[in-house]
Amino acid sequence: MRKYLGIIVIAVLVLLLISAGAIVGLYTDWLWFNNIGFGVVFSKMVVNQIGMGLVMGLLFFGIVYGNLWYARRIAPPPSPMGLEHQLIERLGSLARRGIGIVIFLASIIVSIMMALEAATHWQNWLMYTSASSFGVIDPVFGKDIGFYVFKMPFISYAYGWLFFALAVATITSAAIHYADEAIEVFGNRIQFAPKVKAHLGVLIALMFFLKAYGYRLAMYGLLNSQGAQFDGAGYTDIHARIPAMWILIVVTIIGGLLVLMNIARRGVGLAIAGFVGVIGASILVGGIYPAMVEQFSVQPNQKDKEAPYISRAIEATQIAYGLGDVHTKLFAANDTLTADQAVANKATIENIRLWDSDHLQQAYNQIQTLQQYYHFGDVDVDRYWLTDPKTGEKQYRQVWLSARELDQSRLAEGSQTWVNLHLQYTHGYGYVMSPVNEMDSEGKPNFFVKDISPRTAVGLPMDQMSAYFGELTNNYVFVKTSAQEFNFPGDGGKTTKYKATSGIQVGGFLRKLVMAIKYSDINILLNENIQSDSRILYDRDIETRMTKALPFLRFDSDPYLVTANGKLYWIRDAYTITDAYPYSKRQLMPDGTYVNYIRNSVKVVVDAYTGAVDAYIVEKPLNDPIIETYRKMYPGILKPVSQMPKELKEHLRYPEDLFQIQTALYARWHYDKDNPNGFYNNADLWKIPGKAELGTSSDQAATVMEPYYVIMKLPGEDSEEFMLMTPYVRAGERANMVSWICAKCDPKDYGRIELYQFPNQKNVYGPQQIVARVNQDPVISSRLSLWGQKGSTVGTGNLLVVPIESSLLYVMPVYLISEGNQIPEIKKVIVALGDNIAMESTLDQALSKVIGAQVSVTTLIGAPAAPVKPGAKPVPSADISGLIDQASQQYDKSQAAQRNGDWAEYGKQVNALKATLEELKKKAK
């Protein structure tokens, strides 16, 4: 090996030169992880990646090169006609040495590739060594579920890796032996040089024995096999495939023994017999026999044969997805609601969501960006206890809120200088908040928090509104420099200095050089504003920040903004997942990953000012052994939820992605495990309704309705709660509603899932059926068509189903978007109750019409009460609204008649309009 030492040294130096960028990246990542207090994640990741790569790379090199070296060592002397002999004659001993060097270098290159691939499996090794028990035993092999989740991934990888290494060693050794004329074929006979047959025989026998172990692993894999009706081992697997695999294990071991016995005999007859025996057994026992059992025994009696395995699948699927404890209740689904019931559920009705996220985000960006470089990238729904300034009372209100982030790409073209991008325009400022159901007199959002500096009408503190970390903060910035940071516009622009200790201290020239190399930016070295105590903030967008800090978790697609203690925070739900839970049905996550087990065990919080990352465990270890394993793998990183500040804990919510996965699955898997026949027959199949709004295209209708948050009082409860809900309709053409399901979000019963089922004989309209009825209503459809002809865009938000007492209220807002200002305005509200449908200017008016009695249950926080004359009777606002609509229609008709030259019709409509205005005048007195 000494002769190769120089080559190795040169190769290492070349690798160091090539990987300079990677070394810089590794160093800056080390700084970053330590700065946020997650150094243990970095060290575990790097140490195990390097360790895994080195061990597996060296083992691979030892197996492959060791066999190639041995093959060269036992090679017979070259014949006069051999290629190597001719090379020796011409080049002397350099030929043999050159071939040896080529083999050595090739082995190193392939081993490095294998090492790099092995390094990606570092987490499998960590989970193997830190495994936790699920406390649940699989029904086939009697192993704890933790074996399949934590042990099997690494065992399967190690098996595949070793089989590949042996296969490479065998094939390349055989090639070397053949090139060295140690293997020769004479007619139908193969002749081997001394020791060659033993060498190859041992390698091939080892592959046979390893394959036998592979059949044992394949048995375990049957518990996660995919089937048409359910996943996991069915009748054929248990009664045919597993016995067949035991036979194949015996046959394969015998095959390996035959190969070893063949070493001492002439020819290769025994080895071929062993190989043919394994192939034949695989075809007959492993393939044909199970297929015959399935075809002639299972399929004619599938309902009975598969029943016990369907029961296993139902139980495992419900447990794996957290659906094992769904509380089912009956819901009468009445089609009437009294005024007294509406008043008793005032808090529910005044929190019915009218604004949807898309229209509201558009309105925010039109009204509240204030400068071209600000942008509201997303709006988030939440609930807060807010103070009504008129009464001083606290109200539990559902609100939308969004951070006013600085989007550097929106800076004027001439302003996108290096100093502006990296030293001055460093952060966004403030946020806006509006109730989900309120609008001003023009139909625009009614704001609880707005403007710069933020103004609040609901008593929320505003201490630190600068947002250095968010959803749009994609650039690195330097803070604590001699340059003034832009804070927010006003009086020529307010400036600030960053006061936190976050970020990496720049220090001296070497640290600057490292950062310049990292970002390929010479300006970092040349800029004079950057001082030794300046700090660089990078990986500031919360998507990168969270996934980098916690690479072992999967994240919800929607982080949401929270304001607490006068500061801004981002909260994001994190999941533990696996696809190895026996008998559980695989399901597709929004990010395209297949899972058959999921828990929302962690809530991750990022401070929008400091960038501090805190991860809190909210699931009990017994309910999620995976998070317990992660806690052991990364000590000190995952905190108990008891350490979360109370002000943040109040804003935890059940995550939408998880709820979508659960509800989509539960539509098929809601059967009791003791009712496998019902599951097999699809006797009660549900589905989540398609998108329900006016003008829905066929493509949109194919998109399922998204779950939505509500504040409401559940039947039989005493107070309102914040929860996430979705309706179910019957699968098939008649999409009648059959039930609705909700997940509670408030701390008292967080995570409790309740299902409310309707009586079987009850015919209840589904969301899309309600939309169809609205489309067929001649009054509503004519009004919407008329508005759409005035140069504006008319649209509706998503229809929401809101349970109140034992009835269902369907609510859908109507938006008008002017071509001029492009600001969505809510002009009408459509409400349906049973067979009654109404479209009025306010929710109260539409509700009054479908109930058949005057109700006034919604209030505007901070809105002045309308003056009432002494002795005057309350004005039925629904009448006035109807007269206004009537006047509008008469005016439009008169203008149309004037354009068409129909003066008789014009005069008729003008007289009618005059009469309507007189009636309005009387009612206003």
Side-chain angles (χ1 to χ4, degrees):
M1 296 295 292
R2 188 175 298 174
K3 58 186 177 183
Y4 301 137
L5 186 59
I7 298 174
I8 295 174
V9 171
I10 293 173
V12 169
L13 291 175
V14 171
L15 284 174
L16 287 175
L17 185 62
I18 294 174
S19 59
I23 293 172
V24 166
L26 200 64
Y27 173 64
T28 53
D29 280 348
W30 175 75
L31 293 173
W32 186 89
F33 275 96
N34 280 284
N35 180 257
I36 65 170
F38 279 54
V40 65
V41 175
F42 178 83
S43 61
K44 286 271 186 157
M45 182 168 55
V46 173
V47 169
N48 282 277
Q49 281 180 334
I50 294 174
M52 190 82 168
L54 281 175
V55 170
M56 302 306 276
L58 288 173
L59 281 176
F60 188 86
F61 179 80
I63 293 171
V64 174
Y65 182 72
N67 279 280
L68 295 180
W69 175 84
Y70 182 71
R72 295 287 291 167
R73 184 177 180 85
I74 64 174
S79 68
M81 300 302 294
L83 174 62
E84 187 177 317
H85 183 75
Q86 297 175 28
L87 289 173
I88 290 175
E89 286 184 347
R90 296 181 182 182
L91 302 175
S93 62
L94 289 177
R96 178 173 284 274
R97 185 178 301 174
I99 293 173
I101 291 174
V102 169
I103 293 174
F104 178 76
L105 291 178
S107 299
I108 287 180
I109 291 171
V110 176
S111 297
I112 290 174
M113 294 171 63
M114 290 298 296
L116 293 174
E117 192 279 333
T120 63
H121 296 271
W122 62 276
Q123 193 161 245
N124 288 345
W125 168 248
L126 269 182
M127 294 183 75
Y128 181 89
T129 57
S130 306
S132 301
S133 171
F134 271 72
V136 178
I137 303 300
D138 86 77
V140 178
F141 301 109
K143 288 188 173 291
D144 186 272
I145 302 299
F147 169 78
Y148 300 92
V149 174
F150 302 120
K151 303 282 189 178
M152 273 294 290
F154 181 76
I155 293 173
S156 298
Y157 164 73
Y159 163 77
W161 178 91
L162 184 56
F163 197 90
F164 178 76
L166 287 175
V168 171
T170 303
I171 294 170
T172 54
S173 295
I176 290 294
H177 286 313
Y178 184 78
D180 286 337
E181 299 179 354
I183 302 176
E184 292 185 313
V185 180
F186 295 99
N188 295 328
R189 295 180 60 189
I190 301 176
Q191 288 189 344
F192 298 89
K195 300 183 180 180
V196 171
K197 190 176 183 181
H199 178 210
L200 294 179
V202 169
L203 287 174
I204 293 172
L206 287 175
M207 292 178 66
F208 270 79
F209 298 144
L210 190 60
K211 181 61 179 176
Y213 182 67
Y215 284 124
R216 179 57 174 162
L217 295 181
M219 292 185 197
Y220 296 134
L222 290 176
L223 271 61
N224 277 294
S225 59
Q226 296 179 59
Q229 283 201 326
F230 63 93
D231 290 353
Y235 182 92
T236 301
D237 296 315
I238 300 298
H239 294 88
R241 289 196 175 92
I242 290 178
M245 287 181 185
W246 279 117
I247 295 173
L248 287 172
I249 288 175
V250 173
V251 171
T252 306
I253 292 174
I254 293 173
L257 294 174
L258 288 175
V259 172
L260 291 177
M261 292 169 60
N262 196 85
I263 294 174
R265 296 171 63 96
R266 284 179 173 272
V268 292
L270 288 179
I272 292 175
F275 182 76
V276 171
V278 171
I279 295 297
S282 297
I283 295 172
L284 293 174
V285 180
I288 295 177
Y289 172 63
M292 292 179 64
V293 171
E294 179 70 23
Q295 179 70 35
F296 299 109
S297 178
V298 176
Q299 288 191 8
N301 309 283
Q302 191 176 48
K303 184 176 181 179
D304 295 329
K305 295 282 189 182
E306 299 287 25
Y309 309 106
I310 290 174
S311 295
R312 292 176 182 178
I314 292 173
E315 182 179 19
T317 298
Q318 291 180 354
I319 292 174
Y321 287 92
L323 296 169
D325 192 25
V326 175
H327 302 267
T328 302
K329 302 180 180 181
L330 291 177
F331 189 83
N334 297 324
D335 54 9
T336 59
L337 187 70
T338 68
D340 289 341
Q341 288 175 321
V343 172
N345 290 270
K346 178 179 183 296
T348 298
I349 295 173
E350 69 181 2
N351 280 291
I352 292 177
R353 194 185 81 194
L354 298 180
W355 287 101
D356 63 59
S357 59
D358 292 338
H359 286 100
L360 190 63
Q361 182 183 358
Q362 187 177 350
Y364 280 1
N365 279 309
Q366 290 290 332
I367 300 171
Q368 277 292 309
T369 50
L370 306 180
Q371 296 293 336
Q372 81 278 3
Y373 41 78
Y374 287 129
H375 188 69
F376 296 100
D378 186 27
V379 292
D380 302 304
V381 69
D382 204 349
R383 74 290 197 190
Y384 287 80
W385 283 98
L386 302 174
T387 303
D388 188 333
K390 299 193 303 291
T391 64
E393 296 180 353
K394 289 280 188 178
Q395 294 189 16
Y396 198 43
R397 297 299 299 267
Q398 187 178 188
V399 298
W400 289 106
L401 68 164
S402 181
R404 185 184 289 106
E405 296 198 64
L406 191 142
D407 185 354
Q408 292 184 337
S409 66
R410 297 175 184 270
L411 286 169
E413 187 174 347
S415 300
Q416 293 187 16
T417 64
W418 191 90
V419 171
N420 279 346
L421 293 176
H422 298 288
L423 302 183
Q424 293 193 315
Y425 287 89
T426 56
H427 59 278
Y429 194 85
Y431 69 101
V432 293
M433 177 188 287
S434 61
V436 296
N437 68 329
E438 292 186 16
M439 49 271 187
D440 61 18
S441 58
E442 296 179 343
K444 298 182 179 66
N446 181 38
F447 289 97
F448 285 171
V449 178
K450 63 179 182 178
D451 298 342
I452 298 178
S453 298
R455 293 187 296 160
T456 174
V458 288
L460 291 171
M462 305 271 177
D463 298 330
Q464 180 51 264
M465 292 290 103
S466 298
Y468 286 80
F469 300 84
E471 295 183 273
L472 302 178
T473 48
N474 300 315
N475 203 2
Y476 68 92
V477 295
F478 289 90
V479 294
K480 296 191 174 183
T481 67
S482 60
Q484 291 293 318
E485 293 179 60
F486 176 79
N487 201 23
F488 57 85
D491 298 330
K494 301 292 184 179
T495 60
T496 188
K497 281 280 189 180
Y498 191 66
K499 296 180 176 62
T501 58
S502 306
I504 309 304
Q505 187 170 344
V506 172
F509 174 79
L510 288 178
R511 184 77 58 88
K512 271 190 175 185
L513 178 62
V514 166
M515 294 301 172
I517 294 173
K518 176 179 175 66
Y519 291 106
S520 303
D521 193 343
I522 191 74
N523 290 301
I524 295 175
L525 285 173
L526 301 179
N527 184 269
E528 297 177 356
N529 299 112
I530 302 174
Q531 303 166 334
S532 61
D533 59 345
S534 298
R535 292 181 172 270
I536 179 172
L537 307 178
Y538 54 93
D539 293 333
R540 296 190 298 139
D541 67 286
I542 54 178
E543 169 70 26
T544 300
R545 198 167 188 83
M546 291 184 181
T547 55
K548 183 175 178 178
L550 300 158
F552 48 91
L553 297 175
R554 290 299 178 97
F555 287 91
D556 194 85
S557 59
D558 184 29
Y560 58 100
L561 183 72
V562 168
T563 177
N565 298 321
K567 298 182 63 178
L568 299 177
Y569 300 88
W570 298 97
I571 297 181
R572 195 175 187 188
D573 293 281
Y575 305 115
T576 55
I577 63 170
T578 183
D579 62 353
Y581 196 102
Y583 276 103
S584 178
K585 182 68 176 176
R586 294 179 81 205
Q587 189 80 349
L588 189 65
M589 289 186 68
D591 65 359
T593 303
Y594 277 100
V595 301
N596 68 1
Y597 171 97
I598 186 170
R599 290 289 187 273
N600 172 221
S601 291
V602 179
K603 307 286 186 179
V604 183
V605 180
V606 172
D607 188 309
Y609 184 73
T610 67
V613 180
D614 293 292
Y616 300 95
I617 298 178
V618 295
E619 190 70 82
K620 296 178 181 178
L622 289 178
N623 293 338
D624 184 18
I626 295 181
I627 200 61
E628 176 63 15
T629 293
Y630 286 147
R631 188 189 62 79
K632 291 188 286 186
M633 288 165 57
Y634 307 102
I637 295 300
L638 302 171
K639 305 175 182 178
V641 72
S642 58
Q643 294 183 16
M644 178 183 281
K646 175 179 176 293
E647 294 78 10
L648 292 177
K649 199 181 299 183
E650 292 173 350
H651 295 283
L652 299 182
R653 67 186 195 187
Y654 203 85
E656 289 182 76
D657 284 358
L658 174 60
F659 194 65
Q660 284 180 298
I661 292 170
Q662 290 175 316
T663 52
L665 193 87
Y666 202 65
R668 175 73 176 96
W669 293 83
H670 59 271
Y671 298 88
D672 188 89
K673 68 176 183 177
D674 296 325
N675 185 20
N677 290 338
F679 179 92
Y680 180 86
N681 294 328
N682 270 342
D684 189 23
L685 186 61
W686 308 340
K687 68 177 181 179
I688 298 173
K691 188 175 183 181
E693 59 183 52
L694 295 184
T696 302
S697 67
S698 58
D699 289 340
Q700 290 174 318
T703 303
V704 298
M705 175 186 287
E706 294 181 355
Y708 47 93
Y709 292 98
V710 293
I711 288 180
M712 70 178 189
K713 182 166 61 176
L714 290 172
E717 300 289 341
D718 296 327
S719 59
E720 287 72 23
E721 301 175 73
F722 187 60
M723 62 191 69
L724 183 61
M725 69 164 289
T726 197
Y728 279 124
V729 298
R730 194 165 301 285
E733 295 182 1
R734 294 191 61 194
N736 299 103
M737 196 168 160
V738 294
S739 60
W740 56 274
I741 190 170
C742 67
K744 297 188 175 185
C745 300
D746 287 340
K748 179 183 176 183
D749 290 318
Y750 178 86
R752 178 183 169 95
I753 298 177
E754 295 187 358
L755 175 74
Y756 290 81
Q757 286 190 266
F758 304 161
N760 290 330
Q761 70 278 11
K762 191 80 173 183
N763 184 38
V764 181
Y765 292 117
Q768 288 177 312
Q769 293 174 324
I770 292 293
V771 169
R773 292 183 60 218
V774 171
N775 276 321
Q776 295 165 3
D777 187 286
V779 176
I780 295 176
S781 59
S782 62
R783 289 186 186 180
L784 296 179
S785 299
L786 186 64
W787 287 341
Q789 297 172 4
K790 296 180 180 180
S792 299
T793 301
V794 179
T796 62
N798 295 330
L799 181 141
L800 302 185
V801 183
V802 183
I804 298 180
E805 296 289 345
S806 58
S807 305
L808 294 174
L809 205 62
Y810 303 83
V811 180
M812 181 167 57
V814 178
Y815 294 93
L816 194 64
I817 305 175
S818 169
E819 290 184 354
N821 58 29
Q822 291 294 305
I823 301 176
E825 299 173 354
I826 296 180
K827 293 301 185 183
K828 298 290 180 181
V829 180
I830 298 173
V831 174
L833 175 66
D835 292 325
N836 299 322
I837 296 178
M839 183 177 75
E840 299 295 337
S841 297
T842 68
L843 178 59
D844 276 355
Q845 294 168 6
L847 187 60
S848 298
K849 199 163 185 178
V850 296
I851 289 178
Q854 182 66 32
V855 293
S856 179
V857 292
T858 59
T859 58
L860 300 180
I861 289 185
V868 180
K869 295 181 180 179
K873 296 181 179 179
V875 177
S877 57
D879 291 348
I880 294 178
S881 174
L883 289 171
I884 292 173
D885 287 340
Q886 181 176 312
S888 176
Q889 293 179 44
Q890 291 164 346
Y891 174 77
D892 291 337
K893 289 179 180 179
S894 70
Q895 295 301 301
Q898 185 183 42
R899 288 192 297 270
N900 295 331
D902 188 349
W903 300 107
E905 178 65 18
Y906 173 76
K908 177 182 175 182
Q909 293 298 331
V910 167
N911 289 332
L913 175 61
K914 183 177 180 181
T916 301
L917 293 175
E918 288 294 330
E919 184 68 19
L920 272 172
K921 185 177 180 181
K922 291 178 183 178
K923 288 187 174 292
K925 290 181 179 180

